[in-house]
């Protein structure tokens, strides 16, 4: 027997919920809301629930502010929501998730480049003297 | 126009609502620093200008320019040691994430279960259940009485009908017997005047002695005349 009732009652087939960043704000002033929305919806369109926010521009104390509603994030992940890479990185930096591998890798690369730059700068200085 | 100086790296500050699971401490932030750095490097001329792929003026169907005729697209260089390290980090990361997801799912299920229990085992719910059961029992009693009344009435009617049927049958049998008796008596009556082999001679003598004339005449007014010229 073919069970069609559940499929007919569903109004969203073959998709999943995603926790992702929705862009808002004004010209030259981005602002992200961390949002639980259906996967196929447009980035800024109707979402299921707002679950945090992220300001990419640093404030007067040179901090980038992030707000997270951990209870609701846990609930959505428990209901099977996917999490996009930027949100994973933010959650890793906040301590809720483990640190993302690319965060660590990029930091290492930066350190190496800075060390190289320092070495080359010091090498250029010493022959100059 | 003054060059954009690379300032101190902006820290990412998280305002978190809710309980946080233990994770690794953030070491270095500043993902927004990289494009600024690349721009500075290009302007200072230390390294080659890094090509930033962007589909600006041309769509994908426009032919590429003549200056790009001998261009060889080379994938970015990969350091195998770093790749190994990064793969291992990804494996561990995904392991931890899977465990977290499973735990959150269990928590959601547990919360739903507890909510369902609370909903189904409250005081008001028990009270309502008892009331409904009482009402149901009362309904059953009433219907049972009605049904028994109906069955009793039907039983009585059946008995009456059976009785009537028996009476009718008896009456019919009686009538039949009486009819038969009458017929028998009548036959007996008629048998007295039958001609038997013993009576034969006497009856013949009697008939020959008494000639009977059955002729008669009748006119339109209905007057009957039995006497005729022959007798």
């Amino acid at each position: 027997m073919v069970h069609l009732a559940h499929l007919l009652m569903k109004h969203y087939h073959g998709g999943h919920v995603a926790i992702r960043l929705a862009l808002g704000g004004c010209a030259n002033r981005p602002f992200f809301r961390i949002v639980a929305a259906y996967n196929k919806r447009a980035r800024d369109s109707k979402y299921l629930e707002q679950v945090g926010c992220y300001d990419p521009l640093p404030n007067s104390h040179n901090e980038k502010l992030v707000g997270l509603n951990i209870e609701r994030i846990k609930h959505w992940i428990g209901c099977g929501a996917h999490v996009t890479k930027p949100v994973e990185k933010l959650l890793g930096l906040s301590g809720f998730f483990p640190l993302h591998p690319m965060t660590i890798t990029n930091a290492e690369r930066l350190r190496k480049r800075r060390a190289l730059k320092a070495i080359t700068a010091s090498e250029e200085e010493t022959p100059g003297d | 126009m003054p060059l954009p100086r690379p300032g101190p790296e902006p820290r990412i500050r998280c305002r978190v609502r809710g309980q946080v699971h233990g994770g690794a401490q953030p070491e270095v932030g500043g993902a927004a620093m990289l494009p600024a750095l690349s721009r500075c490097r290009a302007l200072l001329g230390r390294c080659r200008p890094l090509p930033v792929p962007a589909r600006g003026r041309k769509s994908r169907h426009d032919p590429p320019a003549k200056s790009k005729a001998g261009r060889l697209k080379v994938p970015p260089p990969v350091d195998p040691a770093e790749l190994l390290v990064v793969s291992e980090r990804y494996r561990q990361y995904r392991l931890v994430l899977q465990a977290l997801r499973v735990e959150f799912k269990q928590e959601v299920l547990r919360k739903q279960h507890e909510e369902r229990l609370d909903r189904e085992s409250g005081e008001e719910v028990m009270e309502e259940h008892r009331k409904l059961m009482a009402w149901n029992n009362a309904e059953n009693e009433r219907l049972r009485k009605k049904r028994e009344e109906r069955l009793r009435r039907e039983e009585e009617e059946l008995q009456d009908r059976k009785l009537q049927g028996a009476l009718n049958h008896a009456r019919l049998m009686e009538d039949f017997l009486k009819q038969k008796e009458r017929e028998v008596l009548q036959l007996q009556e008629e048998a007295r005047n039958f001609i038997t082999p013993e009576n034969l001679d006497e009856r013949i003598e009697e008939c020959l002695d008494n000639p009977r004339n059955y002729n008669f005449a009748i006119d339109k007014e209905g007057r009957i005349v039995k006497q005729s010229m022959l007798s």
Side-chain angles (χ1 to χ4, degrees):
Chain A
M1 195 189 136
V2 186
H3 299 274
L4 288 174
H6 182 64
L7 288 170
L8 287 167
M9 301 262 274
K10 258 181 129 177
H11 62 268
Y12 195 66
H13 301 103
H16 53 86
V17 178
I19 301 180
R20 59 189 189 189
L21 297 170
L23 179 64
C26 303
N28 293 320
R29 202 331 175 183
F31 182 80
F32 293 100
R33 285 165 292 157
I34 304 172
V35 131
Y38 281 123
N39 175 41
K40 289 295 182 187
R41 280 271 186 184
R43 181 192 65 192
D44 295 336
S45 86
K46 197 156 93 159
Y47 47 80
L48 296 163
E49 189 183 353
Q50 186 181 348
V51 131
C53 55
Y54 164 56
D55 184 5
L57 299 185
N59 67 1
S60 51
H61 305 284
N62 207 18
E63 302 165 335
K64 292 184 184 176
L65 298 173
V66 176
L68 297 165
N69 190 348
I70 295 292
E71 278 295 327
R72 295 308 296 167
I73 293 179
K74 268 202 279 191
H75 174 266
W76 280 113
I77 297 180
C79 293
H82 295 203
V83 187
T84 54
K85 241 197 303 180
V87 180
E88 269 186 354
K89 288 189 171 163
L90 283 177
L91 289 169
L93 286 168
S94 75
F96 182 56
F97 275 11
L99 254 192
H100 195 81
M102 285 322 287
T103 318
I104 306 174
T105 314
N106 288 338
E108 282 178 350
R109 286 176 188 165
L110 190 67
R111 271 197 187 167
K112 266 188 246 167
R113 248 178 273 130
R114 282 204 188 135
L116 216 65
K117 216 170 43 166
I119 288 166
T120 44
S122 61
E123 273 179 8
E124 273 178 16
E125 270 176 36
T126 37
D129 291 340
Chain B
M1 195 170 141
L3 291 171
R5 310 277 308 263
E9 299 143 14
R11 285 171 282 132
I12 291 192
R13 185 150 147 226
C14 291
R15 192 148 294 145
V16 154
R17 202 152 31 112
Q19 177 200 352
V20 167
H21 282 260
Q25 295 303 315
E27 294 172 335
V28 180
M33 272 291 290
L34 242 71
L37 263 182
S38 70
R39 260 180 273 129
C40 297
R41 223 184 285 135
L43 286 162
L44 291 166
R46 288 260 164 98
C47 316
R48 281 182 291 109
L50 300 161
V52 178
R55 206 179 278 287
R57 243 170 50 93
K58 291 190 174 178
S59 80
R60 73 191 319 167
H61 308 289
D62 294 326
K66 278 177 270 193
S67 59
K68 305 276 184 296
R71 179 159 177 252
L72 206 73
K73 278 200 282 190
V74 174
V78 168
D79 181 15
E82 198 193 33
L83 183 68
L84 209 72
V85 163
V86 164
S87 312
E88 179 59 30
R89 281 189 194 143
Y90 261 115
R91 194 184 65 82
Q92 284 168 358
Y93 179 76
R94 285 188 190 124
L95 217 68
V96 174
L97 236 59
Q98 180 66 24
L100 278 176
R101 242 180 258 130
V102 162
E103 200 188 313
F104 294 156
K105 186 158 187 74
Q106 281 177 356
E107 217 179 290
V108 164
L109 285 173
R110 203 181 333 125
K111 246 192 279 186
Q112 281 177 351
H113 186 63
E114 276 171 13
E115 197 188 313
R116 191 158 24 96
L117 280 178
D118 284 335
R119 219 175 340 115
E120 286 178 2
S121 71
E123 262 302 312
E124 303 96 0
V125 177
M126 292 296 202
E127 188 61 43
E128 197 178 333
H129 185 251
R130 255 179 271 127
K131 257 195 286 183
L132 287 170
M133 287 301 286
W135 181 85
N136 192 33
N137 288 344
E139 274 292 308
N140 282 353
E141 279 296 317
R142 187 176 66 87
L143 290 172
R144 189 166 62 83
K145 287 205 183 66
K146 267 180 102 173
R147 190 186 10 203
E148 281 176 4
E149 185 67 37
R150 178 173 55 86
L151 286 173
R152 198 173 48 77
R153 239 182 293 122
E154 275 183 6
E155 193 70 32
E156 280 179 13
E157 276 171 18
L158 193 71
Q159 293 300 324
D160 281 341
R161 257 184 271 135
K162 270 195 178 162
L163 200 70
Q164 288 300 315
L167 287 173
N168 275 358
H169 186 70
R171 209 180 312 125
L172 284 170
M173 288 307 293
E174 242 185 73
D175 290 343
F176 177 71
L177 285 172
K178 278 200 191 118
Q179 176 75 21
K180 287 295 176 219
E181 255 194 61
R182 254 183 273 133
E183 282 178 6
V184 163
L185 284 171
Q186 194 177 356
L187 209 60
Q188 278 179 352
E189 288 282 332
E190 286 172 5
R192 243 181 269 134
N193 293 343
F194 282 170
I195 301 176
T196 63
E198 296 89 13
N199 292 0
L200 189 64
D201 295 325
E202 286 134 27
R203 293 297 277 271
I204 290 171
E205 296 292 323
E206 194 187 315
C207 284
L208 288 172
D209 288 336
N210 308 341
R212 285 196 63 180
N213 188 13
Y214 294 101
N215 300 324
F216 71 96
I218 189 166
D219 65 356
K220 287 219 179 121
E221 278 86 49
R223 287 179 293 191
I224 307 170
V225 171
K226 288 234 187 233
Q227 199 180 9
S228 66
M229 299 256 301
L230 287 168
S231 64

